[in-house]
Amino acid sequence: MYSVSPHATAQPAIACPGGCTWPALDKPPTPLPEWVAAVDMSKVPTAPVIQVDASGNPINPGYTAASDTYCSWSYTQCFRATDIYQCPKGVWGLTYDDGPQPPSPALYNFLKSQNQRATHFVIGSRALEYPDALRQAYQNGGQIAVHTWSHSWLTTQTNEQIIGEIMWTAKVIQAITGVTPLYMRPPHGDLDDRVRAIMKQLNMKVVQWNYDTNDWMTGSPTYNFQPEWIYQNFTVWAKTISTATVGSISLEHELSDESVYEAMKSYPLLTAAGWKIMPVADCLNDPYYYVEQLNGSLPIVSGAPTPTGGAPSNAAASGASATGTAAAAGVSNSPSNTTTKASAAVPRSASLAATVAALSFVVAALAL
């Protein structure tokens, strides 16, 4: 029942640009010195590096809603105004985490058959293993974004490790697709003001969610999770188009045959209900997915919004060079639906010239 095809196959690692050596797979990577030097640590809050237990899970240092000085999403579901977790009313931000994985090509083929683009939050280690699958997602017009190198809890890492997680992932994405993402999602949604400050200096917009499918548990003997619950939840969520005052950003995964199968099965529920479905950047009316679009070396993706103040310099050809109600079946929405410490808003972009100047070090550093 949960067999999808085709599957990606692992490939030899692509060459690291400039003669560098890729970090070990699935281990927090050491950043290049120039990446660390580009971040002003005096602007990074001194939030504690969260300790982990014997299983590698973070240990709450005592944060409560009243004492959470550093706005931790993991412990108090706190958001800042720069966090992105919902789209405008009637709009569904479609996102998939943890790709590319073996089942990913089946998902990409399905999305292409529906003329549907989504945001794909990419693990650097998986991109290095499955570069052709990543190219497929990009060439289909999907928004490629960062999901770190090792999928570790970011608040448990040092400032330097966080920089390495983001920059090595951006580097491998750029080596495979030719583009450098401007968006990221922290694994597990693990975020505090220390992580936010580093993301800001790395020019990464942080994306969370307000509808959680919990599909990462499918196929695992550890959890008593029924894949059918995903479809049941989407049945409920799709109907909120007539009642919700805001739109959605859903959390789905490319991890398993089960999660991909249920994603494809559930998608028509959204279209039938009348949701406008798109990548996250599009729902924010942001036409710039990548650094190369900001600096003019890459056209804007076909179908993305037109920049305010004028048309894009060149429309990309197809395949260019690249909250709601409680969920059914006992699976509830992300707690972020109801609890925030600071109301989120779509961040206003800085002027184009200033942004391009701020990003110049990223492109230069990734080319080394």
Side-chain angles (χ1 to χ4, degrees), residues 85-338:
Y85 67 94
Q86 62 192 29
C87 287
K89 179 178 173 60
V91 180
W92 195 283
L94 191 63
T95 77
Y96 300 96
D97 284 12
D98 296 357
Q101 300 275 356
S104 294
L107 174 65
Y108 303 158
N109 287 349
F110 172 79
L111 292 174
K112 185 176 182 180
S113 75
Q114 303 299 307
N115 194 29
Q116 179 64 61
R117 296 181 300 108
T119 302
H120 301 274
F121 291 99
V122 171
I123 297 175
S125 293
R126 299 292 77 77
L128 193 59
E129 285 189 305
Y130 303 105
D132 282 353
L134 180 59
R135 290 189 192 97
Q136 180 185 357
Y138 172 67
Q139 291 168 356
N140 285 356
Q143 179 189 2
I144 308 303
V146 168
H147 198 45
T148 75
W149 182 266
S150 71
H151 203 268
S152 298
W153 300 78
L154 287 182
T155 63
T156 71
Q157 297 188 323
T158 66
N159 295 348
E160 291 75 17
Q161 286 175 323
I162 293 170
I163 294 168
E165 291 277 5
I166 301 304
M167 294 297 284
W168 278 116
T169 306
K171 188 176 183 73
V172 74
I173 290 172
Q174 202 280 334
I176 293 168
T177 65
V179 295
T180 309
L182 290 167
Y183 284 72
M184 68 83 65
R185 172 175 281 162
H188 318 284
D190 188 39
L191 183 67
D192 65 8
D193 285 343
R194 183 170 66 94
V195 177
R196 289 183 181 92
I198 295 172
M199 293 307 106
K200 180 178 180 181
Q201 293 199 54
L202 296 180
N203 294 285
M204 289 282 172
K205 296 182 179 71
V206 178
V207 179
Q208 303 280 53
W209 59 87
N210 59 352
Y211 285 95
D212 188 353
T213 65
N214 290 299
D215 62 349
W216 59 274
M217 291 187 282
T218 60
S220 172
T222 306
Y223 303 98
N224 182 24
F225 184 89
Q226 303 302 313
E228 294 82 3
W229 291 347
I230 299 169
Y231 184 86
Q232 293 169 8
N233 284 330
F234 270 103
T235 300
V236 175
W237 297 342
K239 296 176 183 177
T240 64
I241 190 170
S242 61
T243 58
T245 59
V246 298
S248 169
I249 295 177
S250 57
L251 174 61
E252 299 182 75
H253 293 79
E254 303 175 22
L255 274 172
S256 65
D257 280 14
E258 290 91 340
S259 64
V260 168
Y261 178 91
E262 293 297 336
M264 295 188 294
K265 179 182 174 183
S266 301
Y267 172 83
L269 294 171
L270 300 178
T271 57
W275 287 93
K276 297 178 181 178
I277 309 170
M278 60 190 69
V280 169
D282 288 19
C283 92
L284 302 178
N285 200 35
D286 180 5
Y288 301 111
Y289 298 2
Y290 311 117
V291 172
E292 291 76 12
Q293 292 170 331
L294 279 172
N295 66 26
S297 63
L298 184 76
I300 293 170
V301 176
S302 178
T306 299
T308 302
S313 58
N314 182 18
S318 177
S321 62
T323 292
T325 60
V331 182
S332 46
N333 295 341
S334 164
S336 59
N337 283 336
T338 57

Side-chain angles (χ1 to χ4, degrees), residues 27-108:
K27 303 289 185 183
T30 301
L32 298 181
E34 54 267 33
W35 297 344
V36 177
V39 175
D40 183 351
M41 296 299 179
S42 70
K43 297 180 180 178
V44 177
T46 56
V49 176
I50 305 298
Q51 301 302 302
V52 298
D53 62 22
S55 299
N57 296 315
I59 302 170
N60 187 345
Y63 291 152
T64 67
S67 65
D68 182 10
T69 305
Y70 299 106
C71 192
S72 167
W73 186 90
S74 295
Y75 299 114
T76 67
Q77 289 76 59
C78 178
F79 281 93
R80 295 298 190 195
T82 52
D83 299 342
I84 300 162
Y85 67 94
Q86 62 192 29
C87 287
K89 179 178 173 60
V91 180
W92 195 283
L94 191 63
T95 77
Y96 300 96
D97 284 12
D98 296 357
Q101 300 275 356
S104 294
L107 174 65
Y108 303 158

